[in-house]
Amino acid sequence: MSADSTCAVGKRPAGRRAVTGAAAVVLVAAGALLWSKWAPYTAKVFDLSGNRAWTGGEVLRSGGVAAGDPPSLAAAVSFATDYAQAVWKALLAALVISAALHAWLPERWAARVLNRRRPVPEAIAGGLLSTPSMMCTCCSAPVAVTLRRSGASLAAAGAYWLGNPLLNPAVLIFLHLVAPWQWTLTRLLVGAALVVSGGVLAHRLGGNDRPRPRPVERRGGGFGAAVRRFGRQLLRLVLTLVPEYLLVVMLLGAFRGWLLAGVEALPQGALAVGVAAVIGTALVLPTAAEIPVLQALALAGASPALIGALLVTLPAVSLPGMVVVARSFGPRATAVLALTTVVGGVVAGGVLAVL
């Protein structure tokens, strides 16, 4: 047998494993998203189409916390409990998808799928990849980390992280059904610009763009070996990401009375919009939970500029999400994404004020 024939024979099993792994990932991801996102959001759209009124309270006021209340353990626990009830399905789906991507696809697969010669196409590719998953910033963080560790550039992984909450088609439909059209247009235009610009700036200003190598696992074996790889990675994610994630969520929940007071006490003017953008970037909310917050502020007489800033920053980035991605993105790139979000919030305030 010639050397070429031997090489071809050696490549066939690896090629079949890659195809089988990709098919398994697609099936697992589709099933997880159908259960956690697509089916519930479809039902929500039909419900809103009938009554055009948002139902449900503000998670920031869970446990009876009001603006100005001091930090407390009760506030931390009540917020973490309500938040967990709202996001546990999406978080579980994100962890399962992340484990499947890590365990069943070849090394550096994300580099081959998402990376281009320039950061702008990479950011666009990452943003487009984010639209079907429809996750909040914290739930999308584990998948963004896996993309990064699988070879995706900062532009692609950063855009994927930002794109999940900002380009969520379900939330855009929700806004169209229950909010003024100016809110939807502002979210779409500024959100798309922020996803691309954030990814590009993270790539250019984030330091070394080489992703940290992940542990190499043998890809051989049959079905049992693949399941064991998946189980090990899922357990690793649960033990490393979830505790720090919940700790930061509880910390924000404890101080949310002061944060709410800061938002409600803001006067009119550019400085107030900037402060609101910073607060919105730090806060964490489940998917679409910014809608009742913004509606309440609008009824209380908040300016369009203030609402525009929070319309983008509340969903886009959060302190818990930053903690999760910083280890793989790097502190500098994570800070660039956060600062870009603040600037995007200020721009959104200006756009909504003009509209």
Side-chain angles (χ1 to χ4, degrees):
M1 183 180 292
S2 67
D4 290 342
S5 299
T6 303
C7 183
V9 170
K11 288 181 178 179
R12 282 183 197 134
R16 285 197 295 269
R17 284 196 299 268
V19 172
T20 302
V25 168
V26 170
L27 289 175
V28 167
L33 292 173
L34 178 64
W35 169 69
S36 65
K37 291 291 181 179
W38 299 341
Y41 288 171
T42 300
K44 185 73 173 178
V45 167
F46 281 112
D47 180 60
L48 292 177
S49 299
N51 54 37
R52 299 285 178 130
W54 189 265
T55 56
E58 296 181 45
V59 69
L60 288 176
R61 300 183 187 275
S62 61
V65 171
D69 285 355
S72 67
L73 179 60
V77 172
S78 63
F79 179 74
T81 301
D82 285 3
Y83 183 81
Q85 289 176 347
V87 307
W88 73 269
K89 284 186 176 182
L91 180 59
L92 179 58
L95 295 173
V96 167
I97 292 170
S98 298
L101 290 172
H102 176 97
W104 297 338
L105 291 182
E107 295 288 333
R108 299 192 60 79
W109 64 269
R112 294 191 287 272
V113 173
L114 295 173
N115 292 359
R116 304 292 186 270
R117 293 185 177 180
R118 294 182 176 85
V120 172
E122 291 175 341
I124 293 174
L128 291 174
L129 182 65
S130 73
T131 54
S133 49
M134 306 183 186
M135 295 180 184
C136 64
T137 176
C138 286
C139 294
S140 63
V143 183
V145 168
T146 299
L147 291 176
R148 181 72 179 137
R149 291 177 176 173
S150 298
S153 69
L154 279 171
Y160 174 86
W161 185 46
L162 293 176
N164 264 274
L166 288 176
L167 302 181
N168 186 327
V171 176
L172 291 172
I173 296 173
F174 297 162
L175 284 170
H176 170 70
L177 293 173
V178 303
W181 65 266
Q182 293 92 337
W183 291 19
T184 309
L185 184 61
T186 300
R187 175 71 164 263
L188 178 60
L189 294 179
V190 178
L194 178 55
V195 167
V196 176
S197 61
V200 171
L201 289 174
H203 177 95
R204 295 192 182 281
L205 304 177
N208 186 3
D209 190 44
R210 295 178 181 177
R212 297 183 180 183
R214 68 182 187 181
V216 178
E217 294 186 66
R218 294 180 62 86
R219 295 297 191 225
F223 178 77
V227 172
R228 286 192 293 272
R229 286 197 303 271
F230 171 81
R232 286 195 298 269
Q233 180 61 14
L234 181 60
L235 181 61
R236 187 179 300 125
L237 289 171
V238 170
L239 294 179
T240 58
L241 297 184
V242 174
E244 64 182 7
Y245 169 42
L246 289 178
L247 180 62
V248 182
V249 168
M250 290 187 68
L251 183 64
L252 284 174
F255 285 87
R256 61 197 154 104
W258 287 357
L259 293 172
L260 283 169
V263 172
E264 294 183 0
L266 288 173
Q268 306 294 329
L271 179 60
V273 174
V275 173
V278 172
I279 294 176
T281 300
L283 284 171
V284 59
L285 291 175
T287 301
E290 69 273 15
I291 294 176
V293 175
L294 298 174
Q295 288 179 329
L297 287 172
L299 290 174
S303 68
L306 186 88
I307 292 173
L310 294 174
L311 178 67
V312 167
T313 58
L314 277 175
V317 169
S318 68
L319 188 57
M322 286 186 270
V323 169
V324 172
V325 303
R327 194 177 296 124
S328 59
F329 282 26
R332 189 189 304 178
T334 305
V336 168
L337 289 166
L339 290 174
T340 305
T341 299
V342 172
V343 174
V346 174
V347 171
V351 171
L352 191 57
V354 171
L355 292 177

